[in-house]
Amino acid sequence: MLGAASFGDWIGLLATALFAYGQFENPAAQGAAFSGTIAVRLLPALLLGPIAGVLADRFDRRYTMVITDLLRFVIYLSIPIVAIVSESAAITVTWITIATFLGETVTLIWIPAKEAAVPNLIPKSRIEISNQLTLVTTYGITPIMAALVLSAFTAGVQQSGVTVPDWAEPVQLALWINAFARLATALVVFFGIKEIGGKSPDRVKAAEQSMTRQFLDGWKYIGSTPLVRGLVLGIFGAFAAGGVVIGAARTFATSLGAGEAAFYLLFGVIFMGLALGIGLGPMIVKDLSRRRWFGMSIVLASGSVMFLGFAFHLSMALVGALLVGAGAGMAFLAGTTLLYGEIADELRGRVFAVVQIGVRMVLLLAITLAGILVGLGSSRRVELGPVHVDVSSTRVLLLVAGAIGIWVGIGSFRQMDDKRGVAVLADLWGSLRGRPLSPAESFVRAGIFVVFEGGEGAGKSTQVTRLAEALQATGRDVVVTREPGATPVGSRIRGLVLDKSESPSPRAEALLYAADRAHHVATVVRPALARGAVVISDRYVDSSLAYQGAGRTLPVQEISWLSAWATGGLKPDLVVLLDVDPGVGLTRVDSRGVGADRLESESRTFHERVRYAFLDLAAADPKRYLVLDAARPVEEITEAVSARLTGLLSAMDAAHPESMPPPPPAPSDVPDAPPIEEMAELLGDEEPRRRS
């Protein structure tokens, strides 16, 4: 049904626009005629578009679709009949204009009725697939077919030299197809889709209001709902980018030194990209957040428009046009799918009237304005060695339109982002591989999370103990922990991963560490941070990235995704990396007189890989890391850690004054406590000294 209706719509649009274009010889007049004919379809949307949504919500949607399709059948059938009967070209052109206006007016009522009925026919989980089929048909396959069929008709008649009757001219045939497609749609809906008839109780109740009140409520809902507003504006921006390219395509093709066929080629490639974006987009991005995908798609479409502005060869232009269509198609699919899930049935007609009619209006308006603007400008040929480029108003228009579209896409992304704090490119790459990143689990975090990392024998335990004692001496709530083995569950896991008698496989080892980390974070780290404690951990996520990733040569991205999922995205505020040469560190381990565990017994090459993996992680995030040479004296390392921690403690106290430690007791009351001046000097913090 949708295929027949859409094919007739697009072939009719092209036929009427090209008919007007052929009446003139001046390039500027041709561009204005082509765009002006399309502009006739804009006027009903500008005048009556918002009311159409009210009608779709107010009346039975099945009968609305049938009646409007029958009216369109009669209107579009009259165009070729008048062209045959009338002997005056002026009368024919006038009636084409009037019929186009009337047909578009009726279409405004059909579109929201159809869109509002779709979610009532299919389960919510299948809406995206349904939207794919609908949008590929409406904006992908049928425009391409229309352009190919019309161009094939025209080329066949011209090359054969056969004289055909007026009613069989290619443009006339296209108009016949357009009319009978409407009749076919009406019959299918009336006899084959009875499920969309009737009205829900909520729609009946809403219909008790006046049409004016329904109209105002619909617009108020769109304007006051940030997600819906962002989706609507973003969809308009994506299609505006495509419309600018279509409107400028004829002049742009000329600037590339291409002929008449290049226009049809660019037109077809844009809609081919639209079909590919809608059809293949979900398969490519998989489980990527649809809100993020929506904003990314707008940026892709708009950036591709800018790319077209720099294209100096038809092959480059075709690539740009394909990407423009793909970006617009993906944005439209993601946007409409999100809208279906957000809008109640009694409001759906009005909202989708704004979306669907707005898309047509924006697309046609962009085509019209682009055609007029490029017709008014001039061009200058610039020779860059063997490459000849026409610098024209067309290219300027493409660059400006692309820049505006990118701005709109970034704005939509920021407004709708549901994974704040998750790196965009990393999330996209993870989604392409089937493992999208998750946003950090939100919780009230009043404390500080400090992690000590490093190779074997780096002295982490010593520094953890010294820092904890210093902080406790100032009255702070301190939780000392480690991975693996900080909990009863973790102790059993620690025995499994460090016991040399039975070694788990590398992947099993990574999963065991992740299991320990998930339980550790949930039962120890998060509760302590929530109450305002300073949590000091001996090892955390980076140890898995270094040992299982680099050491065991497992894919680091997979280990990172697994750890992020296990911890809910919890990151430490400070990572102290004690860098030690493996030879020195392993010598320290041997000097303890205790047998080495399974990891300590690994080869020197293994520990070298671990060391450089730690250094690479620190180099990638220097603000969060403190890298210290583990060969330095213990006291110097402690002082450096305390100095770096001072700023974090001050910020924590300012943000959560309730977590500040009480003034420490006098030394006489606690004989075994070290003097407060010594602790203050150790921490590099003057505040305790002033309190004493």
Side-chain angles (χ1 to χ4, degrees):
M1 177 195 74
L2 289 174
S6 182
F7 180 74
D9 201 10
W10 282 105
I11 201 168
L13 170 64
L14 286 172
T16 52
L18 291 172
F19 178 80
Y21 179 89
Q23 308 305 307
F24 301 93
E25 295 182 359
N26 181 271
Q30 288 177 331
F34 179 85
S35 303
T37 304
I38 295 176
V40 172
R41 293 179 172 240
L42 280 177
L43 190 56
L46 291 171
L47 299 177
L48 305 174
I51 301 175
V54 177
L55 298 177
D57 282 337
R58 198 173 185 86
F59 301 113
D60 186 290
R61 288 165 182 160
R62 174 167 165 254
Y63 288 121
T64 300
M65 292 175 65
V66 171
I67 292 170
T68 52
D69 265 328
L70 290 175
L71 289 174
R72 289 197 293 174
F73 166 65
V74 173
I75 292 169
Y76 292 138
L77 187 66
S78 69
I79 296 177
I81 292 175
V82 169
I84 294 172
V85 174
S86 175
E87 297 181 356
S88 170
I91 294 176
T92 301
V93 173
T94 301
W95 178 246
I96 288 175
T97 304
I98 295 173
T100 300
F101 175 84
L102 295 175
E104 186 67 15
T105 301
V106 176
T107 300
L108 294 178
I109 303 172
W110 184 87
I111 290 175
K114 183 267 293 183
E115 290 296 332
V118 167
N120 297 332
L121 293 173
I122 53 178
K124 201 169 185 178
S125 61
R126 309 289 291 177
I127 283 179
E128 184 171 81
I129 296 175
S130 171
N131 283 343
Q132 281 183 275
L133 296 175
T134 301
L135 297 178
V136 165
T137 300
T138 305
Y139 294 99
I141 297 174
T142 51
I144 297 171
M145 289 178 60
L148 292 176
V149 168
L150 192 55
S151 61
F153 281 175
T154 304
V157 171
Q158 290 176 348
Q159 292 179 9
S160 66
V162 177
T163 302
V164 297
D166 292 342
W167 65 268
E169 289 284 343
V171 172
Q172 294 280 48
L173 286 176
L175 295 174
W176 291 111
I177 293 172
N178 185 27
F180 281 98
R182 309 303 165 193
L183 178 61
T185 306
L187 295 175
V188 170
V189 172
F190 184 77
F191 291 105
I193 317 180
K194 298 180 180 180
E195 295 86 351
I196 63 176
K199 292 192 291 185
S200 66
D202 290 331
R203 286 184 60 208
V204 172
K205 183 177 179 181
E208 295 174 358
Q209 299 176 318
S210 66
M211 292 186 66
T212 303
R213 172 49 54 189
Q214 278 191 287
F215 168 75
L216 294 175
D217 286 349
W219 278 95
K220 182 179 179 181
Y221 173 79
I222 295 173
S224 61
T225 310
L227 175 60
V228 176
R229 183 176 64 244
L231 287 169
V232 171
L233 293 177
I235 291 172
F236 289 173
F239 272 79
V244 167
V245 176
I246 295 172
R250 185 172 291 278
T251 306
F252 183 62
T254 303
S255 72
L256 294 172
E260 180 78 11
F263 164 72
Y264 292 107
L265 197 56
L266 286 171
F267 182 90
V269 166
I270 286 177
F271 285 97
M272 185 184 298
L274 198 76
L276 290 174
I278 294 170
L280 301 180
M283 297 169 55
I284 296 173
V285 300
K286 298 178 181 176
D287 293 327
L288 179 69
S289 161
R290 282 343 188 213
R291 295 192 183 192
R292 285 194 151 196
W293 184 36
F294 177 72
M296 292 177 185
S297 299
I298 297 172
V299 173
L300 172 63
S302 303
S304 301
V305 172
M306 293 193 72
F307 174 79
L308 279 173
F310 293 106
F312 56 82
H313 191 271
L314 181 59
S315 59
M316 293 179 63
L318 293 176
V319 171
L322 187 72
L323 293 176
V324 170
M330 291 190 294
F332 199 18
L333 175 61
T336 51
T337 301
L338 289 169
L339 284 173
Y340 275 136
E342 293 290 325
I343 305 166
D345 183 55
E346 65 271 17
L347 284 164
R348 200 176 292 140
R350 280 163 282 176
V351 174
F352 275 97
V354 173
V355 173
Q356 294 290 339
I357 296 168
V359 162
R360 293 165 67 90
M361 187 172 68
V362 167
L363 183 60
L364 297 177
L365 184 61
I367 293 172
T368 303
L369 291 179
I372 294 174
L373 290 175
V374 299
L376 295 176
S378 59
S379 65
R380 175 179 297 178
R381 179 167 290 270
V382 177
E383 296 184 6
L384 301 174
V387 178
H388 303 277
V389 181
D390 275 354
V391 179
S392 62
S393 58
T394 305
R395 296 183 181 276
V396 174
L397 177 65
L398 293 172
L399 293 173
V400 172
I404 294 174
I406 291 174
W407 176 74
V408 171
I410 293 175
S412 295
F413 184 91
R414 289 178 175 174
Q415 181 175 346
M416 298 166 50
D417 189 9
D418 56 352
K419 298 174 73 172
R420 298 184 186 278
V422 177
V424 177
L425 293 180
D427 187 30
L428 176 61
W429 177 242
S431 299
L432 295 176
R433 304 180 65 189
R435 292 181 294 275
L437 303 181
S438 300
E441 295 178 13
S442 60
F443 73 106
V444 179
R445 177 173 175 172
I448 290 179
F449 188 18
V450 181
V451 172
F452 282 82
E453 296 281 13
E456 305 301 328
K460 300 183 306 301
S461 300
T462 300
Q463 293 301 325
V464 167
T465 301
R466 290 174 67 87
L467 179 61
E469 290 176 350
L471 292 173
Q472 288 170 343
T474 63
R476 292 191 180 275
D477 181 2
V478 180
V479 174
V480 176
T481 186
R482 68 174 181 174
E483 288 190 358
T487 64
V489 171
S491 294
R492 294 196 290 272
I493 293 176
R494 185 181 181 89
L496 290 173
V497 297
L498 297 182
D499 187 0
K500 292 192 292 185
S501 62
E502 185 175 359
S503 302
S505 68
R507 291 183 182 275
E509 181 182 85
L511 290 170
L512 287 169
Y513 276 113
D516 168 77
R517 185 165 296 127
H519 188 63
H520 176 224
V521 168
T523 60
V524 177
V525 180
R526 285 183 182 270
L529 292 175
R531 71 170 185 263
V534 178
V535 179
I536 306 174
S537 179
D538 184 343
R539 298 201 183 281
Y540 190 53
V541 171
D542 288 356
S543 284
S544 287
L545 299 177
Y547 279 84
Q548 281 72 55
R552 303 292 187 207
T553 64
L554 293 175
V556 175
Q557 290 296 331
E558 293 184 3
I559 301 297
S560 178
W561 178 87
L562 179 63
S563 297
W565 182 82
T567 64
L570 179 64
K571 293 183 178 181
D573 300 286
L574 174 63
V575 179
V576 180
L577 174 58
L578 301 180
D579 178 44
V580 62
D581 180 89
V584 175
L586 294 175
T587 300
R588 291 179 179 178
V589 171
D590 293 339
S591 66
R592 296 172 187 166
V594 181
D597 61 36
R598 192 169 63 90
L599 288 179
E600 292 170 343
S601 301
E602 291 290 346
S603 67
R604 174 71 177 267
T605 303
F606 174 92
H607 289 289
E608 289 282 0
R609 292 199 300 269
V610 169
R611 180 193 185 190
Y612 290 112
F614 274 127
L615 292 173
D616 288 342
L617 291 169
D621 193 2
K623 293 183 179 180
R624 200 160 51 89
Y625 280 79
L626 173 63
V627 182
L628 299 172
D629 184 357
R632 294 169 60 182
V634 172
E635 294 77 10
E636 288 186 13
I637 295 176
T638 302
E639 291 176 2
V641 173
S642 300
R644 179 68 175 268
L645 191 58
T646 299
L648 294 175
L649 293 173
S650 300
M652 182 185 77
D653 293 341
H656 303 281
E658 70 280 1
S659 300
M660 290 181 64
S668 58
D669 296 332
V670 187
D672 295 333
I676 189 65
E677 290 80 9
E678 181 180 334
M679 291 297 99
E681 182 178 357
L682 186 63
L683 289 170
D685 183 6
E686 297 295 329
E687 183 62 26
R689 188 175 300 176
R690 288 196 292 270
R691 284 200 299 266
S692 65

